Amino acid sequence: MNPNHLKQLAIIIKQGSISAAAEQLFITQPTLTRSIQQLEQKVGAPLLKRTRYGVVATEIGERLGQLGEKILLEAEQGNEIIRQWHSGFHNQF
């Protein structure tokens, strides 16, 4: 399973919109839609429900979105470690 797809799913769920998530991710909406379709094919079920106000996660979409949130958090922690390293906190490791 592609962890980037899980991160993208988490952002879509948070934004409530595929187009808003695509804008945040700096990718096109069709590219993001294809990523979610690939993930849905792997799962064998829809991950999002389209509504007149945007999208909401299905039960399995919510669970996978939570994994995506964890991946996003871990990536941010990794970026913070790199920032600290570049700031000269070498002895803190």
Side-chain angles (χ1 to χ4, degrees), residues 5-60:
H5 292 172
L6 295 174
K7 292 189 308 187
Q8 291 169 345
L9 177 62
I11 292 170
I12 291 169
I13 293 169
K14 185 174 182 178
Q15 291 288 336
S17 163
I18 293 174
S19 58
E23 191 174 310
Q24 179 180 337
L25 291 163
F26 302 105
I27 60 175
T28 65
Q29 183 270 331
T31 299
L32 184 54
T33 298
R34 275 192 300 278
S35 294
I36 296 305
Q37 287 172 340
Q38 290 172 358
L39 192 52
E40 287 177 333
Q41 286 178 343
K42 178 125 180 119
V43 172
L47 302 175
L48 301 167
K49 290 183 240 176
R50 277 92 178 147
T51 71
R52 41 190 299 204
Y53 302 108
V55 294
V56 295
T58 61
E59 185 177 344
I60 186 66

